[in-house]
Amino acid sequence: MKHQEFFYVEPENVHSDYIVLKNQEYKHLVQVLRKKAGDSATATDGQGNAYDFFITEITSESVRGTIQKKLRKPGEPFFQLTLAQAILKGNHFDWVIEKGTEIGISRFIPLLTEHSIPDINEQKLIRWRRIALESMKQCCRSIIPEITPALKFEDLMSETGQYQLKMIAHPHQNALPTSLLLKNRPITNHPVQNRNGIAIVGPEGGFNLAEIHLAEKHQIDFVSLGKRRLRAETAGIVLSTLILDKMGEI
Ligand code: SAM
């Protein structure tokens, strides 16, 4: 693993043997890092492609880099994990997106539950997508995690059939730690590149009874995250880390 952050190049600025970096990326490369012609770096288009390049030209508003090597999906997990997390107060969801991107979450679903605060608007979605992009660059991933529009709990439940692994964090009487759950429900019969799962985490007030019953009906596995009551944002990252670890991604 290289210990340098990635830069972002818009897909339309990728050509057959060179790339062009503009705006913020240009400023960071030239004005902050003081890179010069001949220096090398790596840029990703956020769609699974990355390019090792060396700088061939710096103008007043762009950097042109000659591609030395094309890379496919560097930093990306095989296991595709979706985190459906009840919307949090203030800026706490920002933190979940940033850290979740670093550990390898592929998709975030802002979840609307009975006890969550429906504190979401188009501006927030735009900000979260920007945070996901910045975090992707920082941790050297090459796909920007998807952030879906907010989804109601009952609508999420009707979509859970698409996931091989389905876990909901809740101190339920049948809740088990992830290690025991995964022993009981191995997903190793699916090819590595097709494995996926969803982690579902409630709001500060927890899930209500109707939501618990709906999750039982949809055969979602109840997960215990230990004896302590975690803050919702901690629970999202802990559960995701445990799953990704067991799937060989950490
Ligand atoms: N009073 C709430 C309850 O009884 O569910 C506590 C909610 S907790 C602050 C916020 C969310 O984090 C929960 O809905 C759950 O998804 C998750 N969570 C926190 N600690 C947990 C634990 N020890 N085991 C399982 N889930 C936990």
Side-chain angles (χ1 to χ4, degrees):
M1 183 177 60
K2 283 189 186 177
H3 290 280
Q4 264 183 358
E5 66 194 295
F6 280 1
F7 293 88
Y8 174 64
V9 58
E10 288 92 355
E12 63 272 22
N13 290 328
V14 177
H15 304 269
S16 59
D17 57 356
Y18 71 95
I19 60 172
V20 180
L21 300 173
K22 295 182 179 173
N23 305 318
Q24 212 184 303
E25 303 302 295
Y26 163 80
K27 281 191 192 139
H28 191 53
L29 202 61
V30 177
Q31 294 170 2
V32 180
L33 299 175
R34 307 236 165 241
K35 295 267 188 188
K36 304 262 180 292
D39 288 346
S40 55
T42 304
T44 174
D45 64 359
Q47 297 180 355
N49 304 298
Y51 308 92
D52 284 344
F53 66 94
F54 62 91
I55 299 172
T56 34
E57 193 186 340
I58 300 177
T59 71
S60 59
E61 56 181 29
S62 70
V63 167
R64 185 176 163 130
T66 296
I67 297 171
Q68 285 178 298
K69 196 169 165 196
K70 293 184 187 179
L71 311 154
R72 190 71 195 133
K73 294 190 180 174
E76 286 304 314
F78 283 117
F79 185 79
Q80 298 293 294
L81 179 65
T82 295
L83 171 63
Q85 167 112 35
I87 296 167
L88 300 159
K89 264 196 297 194
N91 291 344
H92 290 215
F93 216 88
D94 295 12
W95 186 86
V96 173
I97 305 269
E98 186 184 276
K99 303 303 167 207
T101 301
E102 286 174 40
I103 61 169
I105 291 172
S106 298
R107 179 157 59 150
F108 297 88
I109 301 178
L111 195 58
L112 292 164
T113 66
E114 174 69 19
H115 294 148
S116 60
I117 300 115
D119 186 10
I120 186 163
N121 53 40
E122 193 53 33
Q123 282 315 103
K124 271 206 170 168
L125 271 178
I126 292 169
R127 191 174 79 227
W128 291 340
R129 290 180 179 136
R130 185 79 218 164
I131 291 170
L133 186 148
E134 289 302 323
S135 186
M136 168 201 70
K137 284 165 38 187
Q138 184 274 326
C139 69
C140 302
R141 283 182 69 174
S142 50
I143 298 181
I144 308 169
E146 182 190 357
I147 299 168
T148 73
L151 196 63
K152 286 192 189 142
F153 188 83
E154 27 315 358
D155 294 335
L156 176 78
M157 286 297 119
S158 56
E159 289 182 4
T160 49
Q162 64 183 288
Y163 301 100
Q164 294 151 18
L165 201 81
K166 303 168 231 188
M167 294 192 179
I168 185 165
H170 181 69
H172 189 272
Q173 64 210 22
N174 299 335
L176 291 172
T178 51
S179 49
L180 285 180
L181 278 173
L182 287 163
K183 223 180 252 172
N184 299 344
R185 290 186 195 270
I187 61 162
T188 40
N189 48 341
H190 293 275
V192 173
Q193 63 276 16
N194 293 341
R195 293 181 192 167
N196 68 26
I198 184 162
I200 307 167
V201 174
E204 279 307 307
F207 293 108
N208 74 8
L209 214 54
E211 289 161 348
I212 300 303
H213 288 154
L214 206 54
E216 286 167 345
K217 191 177 141 210
H218 283 84
Q219 298 182 319
I220 315 292
D221 289 322
F222 285 89
V223 183
S224 163
L225 296 174
K227 295 177 199 155
R228 289 159 295 278
R229 178 180 178 270
L230 307 181
R231 297 288 299 260
E233 61 268 34
T234 316
I237 296 300
V238 169
L239 177 56
S240 302
T241 306
L242 287 168
I243 295 173
L244 287 164
D245 179 47
K246 309 255 172 353
M247 292 296 126
E249 298 290 355
I250 288 179

